[in-house]
Short mmCIF file of all heavy atoms in Angstrom, two decimals:
data_model
loop_
_atom_site.label_atom_id
_atom_site.label_comp_id
_atom_site.label_asym_id
_atom_site.label_seq_id
_atom_site.Cartn_x
_atom_site.Cartn_y
_atom_site.Cartn_z
N ALA A 216 28.51 -6.80 15.54
CA ALA A 216 28.48 -5.82 16.52
C ALA A 216 27.26 -4.85 16.38
O ALA A 216 27.10 -3.94 17.21
CB ALA A 216 29.75 -5.03 16.62
N THR A 217 26.49 -5.10 15.37
CA THR A 217 25.31 -4.22 15.15
C THR A 217 24.42 -4.15 16.38
O THR A 217 24.05 -5.21 16.95
CB THR A 217 24.50 -4.70 13.94
OG1 THR A 217 25.27 -4.70 12.79
CG2 THR A 217 23.29 -3.82 13.71
N GLY A 218 24.12 -2.97 16.82
CA GLY A 218 23.28 -2.77 17.98
C GLY A 218 24.03 -2.76 19.28
O GLY A 218 23.39 -2.68 20.37
N ARG A 219 25.37 -2.71 19.20
CA ARG A 219 26.08 -2.65 20.47
C ARG A 219 25.78 -1.26 21.11
O ARG A 219 25.47 -0.30 20.48
CB ARG A 219 27.61 -2.77 20.26
CG ARG A 219 28.27 -1.56 19.58
CD ARG A 219 29.77 -1.83 19.41
NE ARG A 219 30.47 -0.57 18.88
CZ ARG A 219 31.72 -0.59 18.59
NH1 ARG A 219 32.53 -1.64 18.83
NH2 ARG A 219 32.31 0.59 18.15
N ALA A 220 25.90 -1.23 22.43
CA ALA A 220 25.34 -0.07 23.14
C ALA A 220 25.93 0.05 24.53
O ALA A 220 26.52 -0.92 25.08
CB ALA A 220 23.83 -0.20 23.26
N VAL A 221 25.80 1.23 25.05
CA VAL A 221 26.06 1.53 26.47
C VAL A 221 24.69 1.58 27.17
O VAL A 221 23.87 2.38 26.85
CB VAL A 221 26.80 2.79 26.67
CG1 VAL A 221 26.97 3.11 28.15
CG2 VAL A 221 28.24 2.77 25.99
N LEU A 222 24.51 0.66 28.11
CA LEU A 222 23.25 0.56 28.88
C LEU A 222 23.46 1.28 30.16
O LEU A 222 24.36 0.99 30.92
CB LEU A 222 22.89 -0.88 29.08
CG LEU A 222 21.73 -1.19 29.98
CD1 LEU A 222 20.46 -0.56 29.60
CD2 LEU A 222 21.57 -2.75 30.20
N THR A 223 22.57 2.18 30.43
CA THR A 223 22.56 2.97 31.71
C THR A 223 21.31 2.50 32.58
O THR A 223 20.18 2.49 32.10
CB THR A 223 22.43 4.42 31.47
OG1 THR A 223 23.64 4.86 30.73
CG2 THR A 223 22.47 5.17 32.80
N ARG A 224 21.65 2.12 33.75
CA ARG A 224 20.52 1.70 34.72
C ARG A 224 20.64 2.70 35.92
O ARG A 224 21.74 3.06 36.34
CB ARG A 224 20.66 0.37 35.24
CG ARG A 224 20.76 -0.74 34.18
CD ARG A 224 20.90 -2.08 34.93
NE ARG A 224 21.37 -3.18 34.10
CZ ARG A 224 20.60 -4.03 33.48
NH1 ARG A 224 19.27 -3.92 33.60
NH2 ARG A 224 21.13 -4.97 32.75
N ALA A 225 19.60 3.08 36.45
CA ALA A 225 19.58 3.95 37.63
C ALA A 225 18.36 3.65 38.53
O ALA A 225 17.30 3.36 38.06
CB ALA A 225 19.59 5.42 37.27
N GLY A 226 18.61 3.67 39.81
CA GLY A 226 17.56 3.43 40.78
C GLY A 226 17.63 4.51 41.86
O GLY A 226 18.72 5.05 42.19
N HIS A 227 16.49 4.83 42.48
CA HIS A 227 16.48 5.90 43.51
C HIS A 227 17.20 5.32 44.75
O HIS A 227 17.04 4.22 45.14
CB HIS A 227 15.00 6.22 43.92
CG HIS A 227 14.33 7.06 42.88
ND1 HIS A 227 14.43 8.39 42.80
CD2 HIS A 227 13.63 6.67 41.77
CE1 HIS A 227 13.76 8.90 41.79
NE2 HIS A 227 13.26 7.88 41.17
N THR A 228 18.12 6.15 45.24
CA THR A 228 19.02 5.81 46.33
C THR A 228 18.27 5.94 47.67
O THR A 228 17.73 6.98 47.93
CB THR A 228 20.25 6.66 46.35
OG1 THR A 228 20.82 6.64 45.02
CG2 THR A 228 21.19 6.17 47.38
N PRO A 229 18.23 4.92 48.53
CA PRO A 229 17.58 5.07 49.84
C PRO A 229 18.35 5.98 50.77
O PRO A 229 19.57 6.19 50.56
CB PRO A 229 17.56 3.61 50.39
CG PRO A 229 18.66 2.91 49.66
CD PRO A 229 18.74 3.56 48.29
N ARG A 230 17.70 6.53 51.75
CA ARG A 230 18.32 7.47 52.69
C ARG A 230 19.56 6.98 53.32
O ARG A 230 20.59 7.69 53.46
CB ARG A 230 17.33 7.94 53.68
CG ARG A 230 17.85 8.98 54.67
CD ARG A 230 16.73 9.35 55.66
NE ARG A 230 15.63 10.05 54.99
CZ ARG A 230 15.57 11.32 54.87
NH1 ARG A 230 16.52 12.14 55.28
NH2 ARG A 230 14.48 11.85 54.20
N ASP A 231 19.56 5.67 53.75
CA ASP A 231 20.74 5.19 54.50
C ASP A 231 21.97 4.91 53.57
O ASP A 231 23.01 4.63 54.10
CB ASP A 231 20.36 3.89 55.26
CG ASP A 231 19.83 2.84 54.29
OD1 ASP A 231 19.92 2.96 53.10
OD2 ASP A 231 19.33 1.84 54.86
N ALA A 232 21.77 5.04 52.24
CA ALA A 232 22.90 4.90 51.37
C ALA A 232 23.51 6.24 50.88
O ALA A 232 24.54 6.22 50.17
CB ALA A 232 22.49 4.15 50.09
N VAL A 233 22.97 7.33 51.38
CA VAL A 233 23.47 8.66 51.01
C VAL A 233 24.50 9.13 52.12
O VAL A 233 24.12 9.05 53.33
CB VAL A 233 22.35 9.75 50.95
CG1 VAL A 233 22.94 11.11 50.72
CG2 VAL A 233 21.43 9.34 49.83
N PRO A 234 25.74 9.46 51.72
CA PRO A 234 26.71 9.83 52.78
C PRO A 234 26.18 10.96 53.63
O PRO A 234 25.50 11.87 53.22
CB PRO A 234 27.90 10.31 51.90
CG PRO A 234 27.69 9.60 50.60
CD PRO A 234 26.22 9.44 50.37
N ARG A 235 26.60 10.94 54.95
CA ARG A 235 26.08 11.95 55.88
C ARG A 235 26.56 13.36 55.47
O ARG A 235 25.92 14.30 55.87
CB ARG A 235 26.57 11.59 57.20
CG ARG A 235 25.91 10.35 57.80
CD ARG A 235 26.37 10.03 59.24
NE ARG A 235 25.73 8.85 59.80
CZ ARG A 235 25.93 8.39 60.99
NH1 ARG A 235 26.78 9.04 61.83
NH2 ARG A 235 25.34 7.29 61.44
N ALA A 236 27.65 13.43 54.71
CA ALA A 236 28.19 14.75 54.32
C ALA A 236 27.17 15.51 53.48
O ALA A 236 27.26 16.76 53.39
CB ALA A 236 29.55 14.56 53.61
N ARG A 237 26.29 14.74 52.80
CA ARG A 237 25.31 15.47 51.99
C ARG A 237 24.15 15.68 52.84
O ARG A 237 23.21 14.85 53.00
CB ARG A 237 24.98 14.55 50.77
CG ARG A 237 26.23 14.16 49.97
CD ARG A 237 25.87 13.61 48.66
NE ARG A 237 27.14 13.14 48.02
CZ ARG A 237 27.32 12.91 46.71
NH1 ARG A 237 26.31 13.16 45.94
NH2 ARG A 237 28.47 12.48 46.23
N ARG A 238 24.06 16.84 53.39
CA ARG A 238 23.13 17.14 54.53
C ARG A 238 21.64 17.11 54.17
O ARG A 238 20.80 16.86 55.04
CB ARG A 238 23.44 18.50 55.17
CG ARG A 238 24.78 18.53 55.78
CD ARG A 238 25.05 19.84 56.52
NE ARG A 238 26.36 19.95 57.12
CZ ARG A 238 26.79 20.97 57.83
NH1 ARG A 238 25.98 22.05 57.91
NH2 ARG A 238 27.92 20.93 58.42
N HIS A 239 21.30 17.46 52.95
CA HIS A 239 19.89 17.61 52.66
C HIS A 239 19.52 16.57 51.51
O HIS A 239 19.59 16.93 50.32
CB HIS A 239 19.57 19.04 52.12
CG HIS A 239 19.91 20.07 53.15
ND1 HIS A 239 19.22 20.21 54.30
CD2 HIS A 239 20.93 20.94 53.28
CE1 HIS A 239 19.74 21.19 55.02
NE2 HIS A 239 20.75 21.67 54.39
N PRO A 240 19.23 15.38 51.85
CA PRO A 240 19.09 14.31 50.85
C PRO A 240 17.92 14.55 49.93
O PRO A 240 17.76 13.86 48.91
CB PRO A 240 18.85 13.07 51.70
CG PRO A 240 18.42 13.54 53.01
CD PRO A 240 19.04 14.86 53.22
N LEU A 241 16.93 15.47 50.26
CA LEU A 241 15.76 15.69 49.39
C LEU A 241 15.82 17.11 48.78
O LEU A 241 14.82 17.51 48.21
CB LEU A 241 14.47 15.51 50.17
CG LEU A 241 14.04 14.03 50.38
CD1 LEU A 241 12.89 13.98 51.31
CD2 LEU A 241 13.62 13.36 49.09
N SER A 242 16.97 17.72 48.82
CA SER A 242 17.01 19.12 48.25
C SER A 242 17.15 19.09 46.71
O SER A 242 17.93 18.42 46.19
CB SER A 242 18.26 19.86 48.81
OG SER A 242 18.14 20.07 50.19
N PRO A 243 16.24 19.87 46.05
CA PRO A 243 16.34 19.96 44.64
C PRO A 243 17.55 20.82 44.21
O PRO A 243 18.06 21.61 45.00
CB PRO A 243 15.05 20.62 44.18
CG PRO A 243 14.63 21.42 45.36
CD PRO A 243 15.15 20.72 46.61
N ARG A 244 17.98 20.69 42.96
CA ARG A 244 19.04 21.50 42.39
C ARG A 244 18.61 21.99 40.98
O ARG A 244 17.87 21.26 40.33
CB ARG A 244 20.36 20.71 42.25
CG ARG A 244 21.00 20.30 43.52
CD ARG A 244 22.27 19.56 43.22
NE ARG A 244 22.93 19.01 44.46
CZ ARG A 244 23.99 18.25 44.41
NH1 ARG A 244 24.47 17.80 43.32
NH2 ARG A 244 24.55 17.80 45.56
N PRO A 245 19.15 23.16 40.57
CA PRO A 245 18.80 23.56 39.19
C PRO A 245 19.52 22.71 38.22
O PRO A 245 20.54 22.02 38.50
CB PRO A 245 19.33 25.03 39.15
CG PRO A 245 20.40 25.02 40.19
CD PRO A 245 19.90 24.10 41.28
N LEU A 246 18.95 22.62 37.00
CA LEU A 246 19.54 21.79 35.92
C LEU A 246 20.91 22.36 35.60
O LEU A 246 21.09 23.56 35.40
CB LEU A 246 18.66 21.87 34.70
CG LEU A 246 19.08 20.99 33.48
CD1 LEU A 246 18.96 19.55 33.83
CD2 LEU A 246 18.27 21.35 32.24
N GLN A 247 21.87 21.44 35.40
CA GLN A 247 23.30 21.83 35.05
C GLN A 247 23.40 21.78 33.57
O GLN A 247 23.34 20.67 32.97
CB GLN A 247 24.25 20.88 35.74
CG GLN A 247 24.04 20.76 37.27
CD GLN A 247 24.77 21.84 38.00
OE1 GLN A 247 25.87 22.24 37.62
NE2 GLN A 247 24.13 22.31 39.02
N LEU A 248 23.65 22.85 32.91
CA LEU A 248 23.82 22.89 31.49
C LEU A 248 25.29 22.67 31.12
O LEU A 248 25.97 23.60 30.76
CB LEU A 248 23.26 24.20 30.83
CG LEU A 248 21.79 24.36 30.87
CD1 LEU A 248 21.36 25.68 30.30
CD2 LEU A 248 21.03 23.22 30.19
N LEU A 249 25.76 21.45 31.25
CA LEU A 249 27.17 21.11 31.02
C LEU A 249 27.25 19.93 30.09
O LEU A 249 26.48 19.01 30.22
CB LEU A 249 27.89 20.85 32.36
CG LEU A 249 27.88 21.94 33.36
CD1 LEU A 249 28.45 21.38 34.67
CD2 LEU A 249 28.77 23.08 32.86
N PRO A 250 28.18 19.99 29.13
CA PRO A 250 28.33 18.82 28.23
C PRO A 250 28.56 17.52 29.07
O PRO A 250 29.30 17.49 29.99
CB PRO A 250 29.56 19.16 27.37
CG PRO A 250 29.62 20.66 27.48
CD PRO A 250 29.10 21.02 28.84
N SER A 251 27.94 16.46 28.55
CA SER A 251 28.17 15.06 29.02
C SER A 251 27.65 14.87 30.48
O SER A 251 27.90 13.86 31.09
CB SER A 251 29.64 14.69 29.02
OG SER A 251 30.12 14.81 27.75
N VAL A 252 26.76 15.75 30.99
CA VAL A 252 26.27 15.63 32.35
C VAL A 252 25.23 14.44 32.28
O VAL A 252 25.35 13.51 33.14
CB VAL A 252 25.52 16.85 32.86
CG1 VAL A 252 24.82 16.60 34.20
CG2 VAL A 252 26.58 18.00 33.00
N GLY A 253 24.32 14.45 31.41
CA GLY A 253 23.29 13.39 31.36
C GLY A 253 23.85 12.12 30.62
O GLY A 253 24.52 12.31 29.60
N PRO A 254 23.65 10.95 31.15
CA PRO A 254 24.24 9.79 30.48
C PRO A 254 23.71 9.50 29.10
O PRO A 254 24.39 8.83 28.30
CB PRO A 254 23.80 8.66 31.40
CG PRO A 254 22.62 9.15 32.13
CD PRO A 254 22.88 10.64 32.24
N LEU A 255 22.56 10.07 28.69
CA LEU A 255 22.05 9.83 27.38
C LEU A 255 22.03 11.11 26.57
O LEU A 255 21.46 11.10 25.47
CB LEU A 255 20.66 9.26 27.45
CG LEU A 255 20.53 7.93 28.20
CD1 LEU A 255 19.06 7.48 28.30
CD2 LEU A 255 21.36 6.80 27.52
#
Side-chain angles (χ1 to χ4, degrees):
T217 299
R219 73 180 186 182
V221 175
L222 171 59
T223 300
R224 306 180 198 264
H227 286 273
T228 309
R230 182 180 294 270
D231 57 11
V233 176
R235 292 183 179 180
R237 307 194 185 200
R238 295 184 177 180
H239 302 288
L241 282 170
S242 295
R244 291 181 185 173
L246 183 69
Q247 306 275 322
L248 291 179
L249 298 172
S251 303
V252 174
L255 301 176

